[in-house]
Amino acid sequence: MTDFTTTRKRFHLPDGVIYLDGNSLGPLPVAAAKRVSQTLEAEWGEMLIRGWNAAGWMEQPARVGDRVGRLIGAEPGTVVMGDTLSIKVYQALAAALDLNPDRKVVLSDNGNFPSDLYIAQGLLRSRGAGHELKVVDPEAVEAAIDDTVAVLMLTEVDYRTGRLHDMKALTAKAHAAGVITVWDLAHSAGALPVELAAAQADFAVGCTYKYLNGGPGAPAFIYVAPRHAHTARPSLSGWMGHEAPFAFDLDYRAGTGIERMRVGTPPVIALASLEAALDAWDGVDMGDLRAASIALSECFITEVEARCPDLILASPRDTNRRGSQVSFRHPEGYAIMQALIARGVIGDFRAPDILRFGFTPLYLTQDDVLRAVEILAEIMADRLWDKEEYRKKARVT
Amino acid sequence: MTDFTTTRKRFHLPDGVIYLDGNSLGPLPVAAAKRVSQTLEAEWGEMLIRGWNAAGWMEQPARVGDRVGRLIGAEPGTVVMGDTLSIKVYQALAAALDLNPDRKVVLSDNGNFPSDLYIAQGLLRSRGAGHELKVVDPEAVEAAIDDTVAVLMLTEVDYRTGRLHDMKALTAKAHAAGVITVWDLAHSAGALPVELAAAQADFAVGCTYKYLNGGPGAPAFIYVAPRHAHTARPSLSGWMGHEAPFAFDLDYRAGTGIERMRVGTPPVIALASLEAALDAWDGVDMGDLRAASIALSECFITEVEARCPDLILASPRDTNRRGSQVSFRHPEGYAIMQALIARGVIGDFRAPDILRFGFTPLYLTQDDVLRAVEILAEIMADRLWDKEEYRKKARVT
């Protein structure tokens, strides 16, 4: 049984803050500052260029990838770190399209994170006439899978509502129709058990600054199923994905397996922070995590619905169809969230009317949840959000 | 007049090391460790998600871009940071091709960094039949510019030999033939004066971990000339390049000017290190830097040729045709470099036979250069490189 009182000590949480936004940016792991200092001072500072060998920087993307892989049910040697999630979406989608060259439709849903759709739009335009991004409602995805579709590209957990797709069932349906799948795990990795290998997913991508607590702008990851790893064509064919990067040949030859999905020089300092963050997952069982996450989420829903009747649940009520976040709608959602943040309860807002709250058992307790609802209820009962200062929108919301 | 005794104090250099590899990875700026700690502890740790507004993380790519821009003669608001150099090459080359849709040839040279060629190969393959990467000798570039060429893609300073292309002349010739230019400044930015605006360069890209000392895997930059900034089409159309990223529209609309070349969430921690590194450039005049770089390089060449007759100069002898590095050839180059490193003189080796030495006046003095040659001369005179331990090749050379 995972001891979540222990994991909580692995994070720095500011005094007076209840942090319900780990689904957007996880908090600072206590070990991260020291680990990053060590990378700067003992590795970069003392080893200089020799750090690439002596400190293992060159293997870091695969080494860290395997640690992330454990949390998402990936086979060893199938995950590599680097770049940003949008870049990894591009790589996965391009490779998936190349594996299905006779079809031209990418199927996705309007609950996907917009950047994934934008990346697909840019990529498909460059592929020329006939290529199409078909975007349907999340509920209509299953029915839209047919033999015209080249790639099914979905985010498993909806960034606004927390709605959870059935990865295994949709992947099976896709495969039966000859469709390749690309799964975005941005709101899944570290949030709930993911079983990429068991689901027979083809490609998966994700970021590490949310539930994995890697830090602002932490590197992304990409998974390629072993059956595709040697045939998937790298669209972003940079030197780190070359079979022999330091031979400096003039012609590209794709590297072995997942290594070919590397592009440029690895982000060593950012990966050091992420490595410290992954230490916080030592001894954590993903089943225990899911149970704790559900308990926190259910408690929150029950309490909010009892005490704040103006807030309308935007997440699926069925806990099996939800990730590790809960969202409520209110026309004054932005101002309400600002009032909450001013009282130390940090969630976030997504246009047009969604208040998002992430539940992260590694550092969040039921007491935190009850206290947060207490404050939310006060704000709603007394309309404490109705102040000019809470309505002024910041550039980033 | 730039005071290089002051700038030297801004870097940590290990005892007993003479560092002639700042052209590969610059050393740790003294201020970087503190600046990064502050980003982790005071910003990420205390502000959490609020750091995007409160700590200015969201504007960091453009703010840092302007600081890099000053060092490469770019107009304000034309440079943005992010990703790796290979990704930025892809973006620049794709946008350049789109600006010249009736032509299908990308012209480059075999002195270009291989990753640039690999990226071009991958991109051109996806563009379909007729597209071609034409790679000629560096000396043959000028004559190969004609009206079949869509894009001229060159690295200004050759990573092996230090040969310097005439950016202004080649750009003028390219424009006269209706060719768009993409300049890679990996070995130029911070190494010598670059005048992108004056040269009328169209696109430029570069990394920041070499002469700019941003740290291992530090973010790259991209420059788009103001005349193209609103028409250049983003191939990697991620949300951070969207006109309104936080509107979460389903359709991509390219952002204003250089902002459209942003892709995903910015690498905040890595950019903090780079910001500290850029402080070391305060008060540095690029003309003074060039004069100091030439003095160090000329001193090195003169001394090595006088004392190590077996080493053959691989760099142009004309100082005006050289960047800020000097290379020598020797069939036993790898072992010689290992012997040098064992004695505290760090340069690097590039296959098949090149010993590279970078000259970086910010932290390198003439005494360092003379001492380095002293050690090199001892190694050559006594064949001290001829040991088994120096011949064993590490994975990364």
Side-chain angles (χ1 to χ4, degrees):
Chain A
M1 192 70 189
T2 307
D3 177 6
F4 290 111
T5 58
T6 303
T7 58
R8 182 177 172 88
K9 292 177 191 148
R10 297 173 183 169
F11 294 91
H12 171 76
L13 294 162
D15 289 340
V17 163
I18 298 174
Y19 196 55
L20 305 180
D21 208 10
N23 53 310
S24 188
L25 175 68
L28 175 69
V30 172
K34 194 174 165 191
R35 179 73 181 80
V36 170
S37 285
Q38 188 191 346
T39 298
L40 265 72
E41 298 182 302
E43 297 181 3
W44 177 18
E46 295 300 321
M47 298 175 185
L48 295 156
I49 190 71
R50 297 167 295 188
W52 289 109
N53 289 313
W57 294 342
M58 198 51 75
E59 290 75 29
Q60 204 182 17
R63 189 173 69 238
V64 178
D66 271 343
R67 297 187 68 186
V68 171
R70 176 183 87 80
L71 304 177
I72 54 176
E75 305 89 338
T78 58
V79 176
V80 74
M81 311 304 300
D83 307 301
T84 64
L85 177 50
S86 294
I87 297 290
K88 291 308 181 202
V89 169
Y90 189 90
Q91 287 184 289
L93 184 56
L97 282 166
D98 287 340
L99 287 171
N100 224 347
D102 298 331
R103 302 185 184 186
K104 296 189 171 185
V105 175
V106 174
L107 176 64
S108 190
D109 70 28
N110 55 32
N112 204 342
F113 190 66
S115 197
D116 296 31
L117 303 177
Y118 303 158
I119 286 286
Q121 288 162 11
L123 175 59
L124 292 176
R125 189 180 48 199
S126 77
R127 294 286 173 126
H131 284 91
E132 181 197 347
L133 174 65
K134 190 171 172 181
V135 178
V136 301
D137 289 335
E139 301 72 26
V141 167
E142 191 181 345
I145 297 171
D146 62 30
D147 63 10
T148 67
V149 176
V151 183
L152 175 65
M153 177 186 81
L154 293 173
T155 295
E156 190 188 22
V157 177
D158 187 309
Y159 75 106
R160 291 164 313 175
T161 65
R163 180 209 29 75
L164 174 66
H165 273 307
D166 186 337
M167 182 190 290
K168 192 164 187 176
L170 288 173
T171 300
K173 172 115 199 241
H175 287 175
V179 176
I180 304 280
T181 56
V182 175
W183 288 98
D184 181 339
L185 306 178
H187 294 267
S188 306
L192 72 171
V194 178
E195 294 297 341
L196 287 178
Q200 298 196 49
D202 299 286
F203 295 86
V205 295
C207 65
T208 61
Y209 48 77
K210 297 178 183 292
Y211 294 91
L212 295 178
N213 315 302
F221 63 83
I222 184 166
Y223 163 87
V224 181
R227 66 187 174 282
H228 299 311
H230 302 284
T231 47
R233 190 187 270 184
S235 55
L236 302 173
S237 42
W239 70 311
M240 285 293 150
H242 192 280
E243 192 178 48
F246 291 91
F248 298 104
D249 294 334
L250 293 184
D251 291 311
Y252 183 76
R253 297 190 311 275
T256 307
I258 191 68
E259 288 280 313
R260 65 178 59 187
M261 290 296 158
R262 292 176 63 169
V263 184
T265 304
V268 173
I269 298 171
L271 282 169
S273 174
L274 176 59
E275 286 205 275
L278 290 170
D279 289 346
W281 290 90
D282 285 349
V284 176
D285 175 86
M286 297 307 285
D288 293 344
L289 182 94
R290 178 65 171 161
S293 151
I294 287 174
L296 294 173
S297 305
E298 289 291 314
C299 169
F300 185 75
I301 293 173
T302 304
E303 292 291 317
V304 171
E305 291 196 321
R307 304 185 59 179
C308 310
D310 291 348
L311 296 179
I312 307 302
L313 185 66
S315 300
R317 189 166 298 277
D318 178 357
T319 194
N320 295 316
R321 303 198 53 201
R322 222 170 46 222
S324 199
Q325 70 169 73
V326 172
S327 301
F328 283 92
R329 292 186 194 279
H330 191 285
E332 295 292 347
Y334 182 83
I336 293 167
M337 184 52 73
Q338 297 310 305
L340 265 174
I341 291 171
R343 294 283 302 273
V345 178
I346 303 182
D348 66 19
F349 172 79
R350 284 292 174 260
D353 61 356
I354 286 187
L355 297 120
R356 290 200 307 183
F357 303 94
F359 296 94
T360 49
L362 286 199
Y363 51 84
L364 209 65
T365 66
Q366 193 179 38
D367 283 351
D368 293 329
V369 172
L370 293 173
R371 178 73 189 132
V373 178
E374 189 76 36
I375 292 169
L376 177 60
E378 285 174 27
I379 288 169
M380 295 309 296
D382 299 338
R383 289 179 64 96
L384 296 179
W385 50 264
D386 195 8
K387 292 184 181 173
E388 184 57 27
E389 66 194 277
Y390 297 145
R391 294 172 174 278
K392 269 185 284 184
K393 298 211 176 184
R395 182 174 159 204
V396 183
T397 54
Chain B
M1 191 72 187
T2 307
D3 177 7
F4 291 111
T5 59
T6 303
T7 58
R8 184 176 171 89
K9 293 176 191 149
R10 297 173 183 168
F11 294 91
H12 171 76
L13 294 163
D15 289 340
V17 162
I18 298 174
Y19 196 54
L20 305 181
D21 207 11
N23 52 308
S24 187
L25 175 68
L28 175 69
V30 172
K34 195 174 164 191
R35 179 75 183 78
V36 170
S37 286
Q38 188 191 346
T39 298
L40 264 72
E41 297 182 302
E43 297 180 5
W44 177 18
E46 295 300 321
M47 298 175 185
L48 295 158
I49 190 70
R50 298 167 294 187
W52 289 110
N53 289 314
W57 295 341
M58 199 50 75
E59 290 75 29
Q60 203 182 16
R63 190 174 66 237
V64 178
D66 271 342
R67 296 187 68 186
V68 171
R70 176 184 86 80
L71 304 177
I72 54 176
E75 304 89 337
T78 58
V79 177
V80 75
M81 312 304 301
D83 307 301
T84 63
L85 176 49
S86 293
I87 297 290
K88 292 308 180 201
V89 168
Y90 190 90
Q91 288 184 287
L93 184 57
L97 282 166
D98 287 340
L99 287 171
N100 224 348
D102 298 332
R103 302 184 184 186
K104 296 189 169 185
V105 175
V106 173
L107 175 63
S108 191
D109 69 30
N110 54 32
N112 204 344
F113 190 66
S115 198
D116 295 31
L117 302 177
Y118 302 160
I119 286 286
Q121 287 162 13
L123 175 60
L124 291 176
R125 189 180 50 200
S126 77
R127 293 288 172 125
H131 284 90
E132 180 197 349
L133 174 64
K134 190 171 172 183
V135 178
V136 300
D137 288 335
E139 301 71 26
V141 166
E142 189 181 346
I145 298 171
D146 61 30
D147 63 9
T148 67
V149 176
V151 182
L152 174 65
M153 177 186 83
L154 293 173
T155 295
E156 191 188 21
V157 177
D158 187 309
Y159 75 106
R160 293 165 311 177
T161 65
R163 180 209 32 73
L164 173 66
H165 272 308
D166 185 337
M167 180 190 291
K168 192 164 187 176
L170 288 172
T171 300
K173 173 116 198 237
H175 287 175
V179 176
I180 304 280
T181 56
V182 175
W183 287 98
D184 180 338
L185 305 178
H187 294 267
S188 306
L192 71 172
V194 178
E195 294 296 342
L196 287 178
Q200 298 196 49
D202 299 287
F203 295 87
V205 295
C207 64
T208 62
Y209 48 77
K210 297 178 183 291
Y211 295 90
L212 296 178
N213 314 301
F221 64 83
I222 184 167
Y223 163 86
V224 181
R227 66 187 174 282
H228 299 311
H230 304 283
T231 47
R233 191 186 270 183
S235 55
L236 302 172
S237 42
W239 70 312
M240 284 295 151
H242 192 280
E243 191 178 50
F246 292 91
F248 298 104
D249 295 334
L250 294 183
D251 291 310
Y252 184 76
R253 297 191 310 278
T256 307
I258 191 69
E259 288 282 312
R260 65 178 57 188
M261 290 297 157
R262 292 176 63 168
V263 184
T265 304
V268 172
I269 298 171
L271 282 169
S273 174
L274 176 58
E275 286 205 277
L278 290 171
D279 289 346
W281 290 91
D282 286 349
V284 175
D285 175 85
M286 297 307 285
D288 293 344
L289 182 92
R290 179 65 171 161
S293 151
I294 288 174
L296 295 173
S297 306
E298 290 290 315
C299 169
F300 186 76
I301 293 173
T302 304
E303 292 292 316
V304 171
E305 293 198 319
R307 305 185 56 179
C308 311
D310 291 348
L311 297 178
I312 306 303
L313 184 67
S315 299
R317 190 166 297 277
D318 178 356
T319 194
N320 296 314
R321 305 199 52 200
R322 221 169 48 220
S324 199
Q325 70 169 74
V326 172
S327 301
F328 283 92
R329 292 185 194 278
H330 191 284
E332 296 292 346
Y334 181 82
I336 294 166
M337 185 54 73
Q338 297 310 306
L340 264 174
I341 292 171
R343 294 283 303 273
V345 178
I346 303 182
D348 66 18
F349 171 78
R350 284 293 173 258
D353 61 357
I354 286 187
L355 298 119
R356 290 200 308 183
F357 303 94
F359 296 93
T360 50
L362 287 198
Y363 51 84
L364 208 64
T365 65
Q366 193 179 36
D367 282 351
D368 294 327
V369 172
L370 293 172
R371 178 73 190 133
V373 178
E374 189 77 35
I375 293 169
L376 178 58
E378 285 172 27
I379 288 169
M380 297 307 296
D382 299 337
R383 290 179 64 96
L384 297 179
W385 50 265
D386 195 6
K387 292 184 181 173
E388 183 59 28
E389 66 192 277
Y390 297 146
R391 293 171 175 279
K392 270 187 283 186
K393 296 210 178 185
R395 182 174 161 206
V396 183
T397 55

